[in-house]
Amino acid sequence: MQSPVLERFATPVAGIHSGGRISADDLPALRAAGIRHVINLAPAAETPGFDEAASVRAAGMGYDALPIAGAGDLDRDAVVAFDRLLQAADGPTLVHCGSGNRVGALAALRAAWLHGADEEAAVEEGRRWGLRGLEGEVRGRLSRER
């Protein structure tokens, strides 16, 4: 049975949860639910007054940040960095941004650029991770940068 705190996040692959913003109040429950690592794709400016890195580490979890401010940051370097963070994460991991949309966009681009998925399969993978509003941007990048 899944922990209630994890119910608001997708589970696109075993051991990875993806979704939107977290707060300091979520951290004890995330840790108790088995999350061992947090990857934050939101720039720090989106959560003024919340030092997520320090709070996550103080709660006993690993932490990485890959700030993706918007569509302009969805490039190959970001996708490669995202892939490396996922591969290096030790144990159950939560990947998040403000809503999960940027997580899904990176997952879709990763599926295409690093794993050879065609456009439809890549977009479907992105949707499983949280892709919504950036789908048009992802499709545009895929058609231009094959």
Side-chain angles (χ1 to χ4, degrees), residues 9 15-22 27 30 35-43 52-53 56-57 61-68 78-98 100 102-104 106 110 129:
F9 299 100
I16 304 285
H17 302 275
S18 62
R21 190 163 331 281
I22 63 172
L27 299 178
L30 289 169
I35 297 299
R36 297 293 172 253
H37 199 92
V38 174
I39 300 171
N40 180 10
L41 302 182
E52 183 172 322
V56 168
R57 289 181 181 124
M61 294 176 278
Y63 179 84
D64 285 296
L66 176 62
I68 304 294
V79 171
V80 168
F82 177 65
D83 184 62
R84 286 185 182 141
L85 290 174
L86 289 174
Q87 289 182 37
D90 185 23
T93 299
L94 172 66
V95 185
H96 78 93
C97 59
R102 288 168 280 185
V103 177
L106 284 178
R110 175 180 176 248
W129 289 70

Side-chain angles (χ1 to χ4, degrees), residues 117-129:
D118 67 27
E119 182 177 324
E120 291 309 313
V123 167
E124 186 57 35
E125 178 71 1
R127 288 178 185 152
R128 291 182 336 105
W129 289 70

